[in-house]
Amino acid sequence: MHELEAGVELDARELNSLLTTEQQQQLVNAWRDQQRLRQQKPPAVFKGYEAGHKNALAWIGKCAGMQAISEQHRTRLLAAQTQCQLVIKQAHDKIYQLLQAQPNLAVWLDREVDCILYKDDLSAIELETNNWLLLLMYVQLPILVSSRSKERWVTEEERFGWKSKRQVQIDVYRQAVREANKSSLAEFELEMQRVESRRSKIYLDNLFAAKSTDMNASANANNALTRAGLRRYDGQLVATTNKRDQAVWAMEAELQAKTEAELTENEREQRDIWDEHEAALKRRRKAKGL
């Protein structure tokens, strides 16, 4: 996992050896889903709007390139600016009507479309100001996320959640690790249940046997637990090298190590905050004599 996240190239055979057959298929399916995302095309109904948007951009450029030296030039520029304003409004009306008829098409646009296009009256005197007003109108027109325009606010990759093959692999392996940890936890809990069941049986058998012979029943039952390498009920700690205990402790340590390795930075931070909170509570209880 750490090698994948670090960008190290791993052999496919090595990667598959870490997954079950079912998980390998999940990896294949996840990558196929990503490929399908890349193959989808914007609906054809956008073509008319795209043409209008392109026309509006052309008029913006035309107005910006015209001079206003003589009165004749100023008249031509104002006429061009008026036409540009009309073209922008037509493009806005077209996309707004399209979304009114098919709201689900909004996913293909990089920004929301207001019902009213903000615009101001063009000035016959401040022609340079007019160009800025036209730009303010133009930026209200959305761009398709599938466009190659650098003016997009949102890319197709961002909108539809495209992932690289490595990202897909990391997601599948991270899920596989979680499942493995859950399996280890389940095995550990089952083993603990078995140990507790055996512990209870040994204690009760020896307790009743000791009572029938007038022996110290509780001590005798707890001593039987010690001989079996199990934890005593009286809380007395006795060193033991019982193999079953060692196996359980090793399993517990391995589980804790796996869990620690899979924690995200945010999860570690939350855990540390909780630990500090618990420690503070203990100090307060101790200070109050509780």
Side-chain angles (χ1 to χ4, degrees):
M1 176 66 71
H2 297 300
E3 291 178 323
L4 277 173
E5 293 176 338
V8 177
E9 292 291 339
L10 299 180
D11 182 77
R13 183 179 301 177
E14 181 181 0
L15 292 173
N16 287 332
S17 68
L18 303 174
L19 301 175
T20 65
T21 302
E22 181 181 354
Q23 290 166 342
Q24 291 176 22
Q25 189 59 47
Q26 289 176 357
L27 179 57
V28 172
N29 293 341
W31 179 237
R32 284 177 180 170
D33 290 342
Q34 285 295 318
Q35 290 176 313
R36 280 193 286 270
L37 285 177
R38 288 163 169 75
Q39 292 170 357
Q40 62 182 352
K41 302 295 182 183
V45 292
F46 281 119
K47 289 185 177 179
Y49 168 70
E50 286 188 290
H53 187 280
K54 185 176 181 180
N55 191 28
L57 180 59
W59 275 101
I60 288 286
K62 183 176 181 178
C63 292
M66 295 179 68
Q67 296 181 342
I69 302 175
S70 65
E71 188 63 29
Q72 185 178 13
H73 286 148
R74 293 176 64 83
T75 300
R76 290 177 181 176
L77 175 55
L78 181 59
Q81 290 173 337
T82 302
Q83 180 62 26
C84 180
Q85 186 181 54
L86 176 61
V87 169
I88 293 174
K89 185 179 185 307
Q90 289 174 340
H92 176 270
D93 291 345
K94 191 173 191 65
I95 192 63
Y96 180 73
Q97 292 169 7
L98 188 61
L99 292 179
Q100 285 295 101
Q102 302 181 61
N104 60 311
L105 293 177
V107 71
W108 285 96
L109 303 177
D110 71 334
R111 68 199 76 179
E112 294 184 2
V113 179
D114 293 330
C115 59
I116 299 176
L117 178 68
Y118 167 78
K119 63 176 182 176
D120 205 346
D121 293 334
L122 298 179
S123 170
I125 301 175
E126 300 293 336
L127 299 185
E128 292 185 2
T129 302
N130 288 347
N131 283 339
W132 284 105
L133 294 175
L134 292 173
L135 278 175
L136 291 176
M137 289 180 61
Y138 171 75
V139 296
Q140 296 174 69
L141 298 180
I143 301 175
L144 267 66
V145 295
S146 57
S147 168
R148 295 183 179 180
S149 172
K150 295 181 179 180
E151 297 176 0
R152 286 178 302 173
W153 291 3
V154 180
T155 66
E156 192 172 9
E157 293 88 339
E158 294 168 338
R159 175 56 52 82
F160 296 112
W162 286 10
K163 296 180 180 179
S164 67
K165 194 166 188 177
R166 179 176 298 278
Q167 289 173 318
V168 172
Q169 290 174 335
I170 290 174
D171 288 345
V172 172
Y173 286 113
R174 183 174 285 122
Q175 180 60 33
V177 170
R178 292 195 191 101
E179 292 175 1
N181 286 343
K182 289 180 181 178
S183 177
S184 297
L185 178 60
E187 292 175 2
F188 173 71
E189 290 177 343
L190 181 59
E191 178 63 20
M192 292 301 293
Q193 290 175 5
R194 291 171 181 162
V195 170
E196 188 60 30
S197 177
R198 178 167 174 263
R199 177 170 170 252
S200 299
K201 185 177 185 305
I202 291 175
Y203 182 83
L204 292 175
D205 287 348
N206 283 272
L207 182 70
F208 294 136
K211 284 185 176 180
S212 65
T213 58
D214 295 330
M215 297 175 61
N216 186 330
S218 178
N220 184 69
N222 277 296
N223 289 337
L225 290 176
T226 298
R227 289 192 296 272
L230 298 172
R231 183 166 49 86
R232 298 167 63 99
Y233 280 107
D234 59 7
Q236 183 179 346
L237 298 178
V238 179
T240 177
T241 57
N242 180 271
K243 290 184 178 180
R244 180 181 292 275
D245 282 349
Q246 292 176 351
V248 171
W249 295 337
M251 186 182 298
E252 183 178 8
E254 181 180 359
L255 180 61
Q256 290 176 342
K258 285 183 178 180
T259 302
E260 175 69 21
E262 291 305 313
L263 288 178
T264 64
E265 290 298 326
N266 184 57
E267 288 171 338
R268 285 195 176 93
E269 183 179 354
Q270 293 298 321
R271 181 203 58 192
D272 293 341
I273 292 174
W274 178 257
D275 289 344
E276 291 176 5
H277 173 69
E278 288 290 300
L281 287 179
K282 288 182 180 179
R283 288 194 296 269
R284 290 175 188 171
R285 293 193 191 101
K286 185 176 180 181
K288 294 180 179 179
L290 299 178

